[in-house]
Amino acid sequence: MRRKVIAGNWKMNMLPDETIKFIEEFAPLVKDTENEVILCVPYTDLFYALLTAQNTNIKIGAQNMHFEETGAYTGEVSGKMLKSINVEYVIIGHSERRQYFNETDESVNKKIKSAFKYGLKPIVCVGETLEQRETGKTEEIITKQTELALEGLTNEQVENTIIAYEPIWAIGTGKTATKEDANNSIKAIRNKIAEIYGQTIANSVIIQYGGSVKSSNAKELFEMSDIDGGLVGGASLKPEEFSKIVNS
Ligand code: PGA
């Protein structure tokens, strides 16, 4: 059986002192969970988060990285740099990065390869816009994004990639996909992986749902056959609320 992975995506929120306070409060609330718990924090909080989360079951991730190892890329941070301070996870291709920072399927693919090269575990986001959904293109879009993201990876790397299905219209809007819709989209992604890499690998890939997950809807979503946890934005900023999601 696949494990459940619940990751918080803090986006551009939280200062170091808030990060330390959050983790001190949050850690005891989730210490008994069997689910994997990850906090993806801003670069400036990484070091504090890693220190505070030592000796807990909370894992720490970044929210982006550059695909090159070093070089003249002002303002960027590489996978090698993240690994050097023991960051374990990295979100790649979040829709906000695709929308505001020109992230493309090609750069997403390069970043995933670079993440694996430096021993980071990627959480790769795919998802359709409202227009794409309304014109019946959801499945086509998300399976294509998945295929391009995973292109050229080894079977083992595919198995170790976490995919987050996040319908863009559901992010930060309070609108959640119905559990059936979310499950069907995730099944479509899994079928595409099976088509290319085989059913055994497809069965072991963790595929999360993201988009307005909160404590009131987490349980019904996570109970679905193909939803292996969630990528949580707004509701991951409050220790108690996020702990309820993790413990769902
Ligand atoms: P949300 O964000 O939970 O605030 O909708 C999810 C995400 O963007 O990962």
Side-chain angles (χ1 to χ4, degrees):
M1 235 196 47
R2 291 185 298 270
R3 67 194 194 284
K4 302 268 183 212
V5 180
I6 324 289
N9 172 15
W10 281 1
K11 309 193 181 187
M12 198 169 71
N13 294 291
M14 304 287 254
L15 297 171
D17 58 332
E18 295 167 321
T19 300
I20 294 166
K21 192 163 168 270
F22 179 104
I23 295 175
E24 283 173 353
E25 224 174 297
F26 178 65
L29 303 176
V30 296
K31 68 176 178 11
D32 296 323
T33 182
E34 282 166 21
N35 300 331
E36 197 166 325
V37 194
I38 308 167
L39 289 175
C40 296
V41 307
Y43 291 133
T44 44
D45 294 331
L46 280 171
F47 188 70
Y48 301 92
L50 285 159
L51 279 181
T52 317
Q54 260 178 358
N55 306 317
T56 74
N57 54 341
I58 302 164
K59 297 173 175 167
I60 303 299
Q63 301 171 9
N64 178 40
M65 58 173 270
H66 197 279
F67 49 79
E68 294 291 353
E69 177 181 310
T70 53
Y73 301 100
T74 302
E76 291 292 321
V77 171
S78 73
K80 190 177 187 183
M81 291 168 167
L82 295 175
K83 190 64 189 179
S84 73
I85 60 165
N86 293 324
V87 171
E88 204 173 327
Y89 288 88
V90 58
I91 298 175
I92 292 178
H94 189 281
S95 61
E96 285 151 15
R97 296 216 52 91
R98 294 181 191 250
Q99 191 181 348
Y100 306 130
F101 303 98
N102 298 323
E103 195 85 83
T104 62
D105 288 324
E106 195 192 344
S107 64
V108 166
N109 177 254
K110 284 188 185 168
K111 288 180 179 194
I112 298 168
K113 286 178 180 155
S114 181
F116 278 120
K117 183 170 172 194
Y118 297 107
L120 295 160
K121 298 172 195 164
I123 301 174
V124 181
C125 303
V126 300
E128 81 286 0
T129 62
L130 186 58
E131 194 200 334
Q132 288 163 341
R133 160 155 296 237
E134 283 171 347
T135 50
K137 297 209 180 85
T138 299
E139 198 172 313
E140 179 192 329
I141 295 289
I142 60 179
T143 55
K144 193 74 198 164
Q145 284 176 338
T146 304
E147 184 178 349
L148 293 174
L150 301 179
E151 202 170 77
L153 297 190
T154 65
N155 287 354
E156 199 194 335
Q157 288 171 339
V158 172
E159 263 186 311
N160 287 304
T161 302
I162 295 177
I163 295 176
Y165 166 61
E166 299 205 306
I168 295 170
W169 50 270
I171 295 178
T173 58
K175 287 187 204 140
T176 321
T178 64
K179 56 185 198 242
E180 291 83 11
D181 272 355
N183 201 49
N184 284 339
S185 293
I186 289 178
K187 270 189 187 159
I189 293 170
R190 204 178 295 289
N191 289 340
K192 174 54 86 178
I193 298 173
E195 197 185 298
I196 307 172
Y197 301 94
Q199 194 65 53
T200 314
I201 289 178
N203 285 347
S204 64
V205 175
I206 301 289
I207 312 181
Q208 302 170 314
Y209 167 77
S212 299
V213 174
K214 33 190 184 280
S215 60
S216 56
N217 60 22
K219 188 167 189 289
E220 59 171 45
L221 285 162
F222 300 168
E223 267 170 6
M224 299 302 285
S225 64
D226 280 69
I227 304 182
D228 306 322
L231 183 58
V232 186
S236 73
L237 294 168
K238 300 249 158 64
E240 192 173 338
E241 168 70 3
F242 192 41
S243 74
K244 284 187 196 155
I245 296 173
V246 168
N247 293 322
S248 295

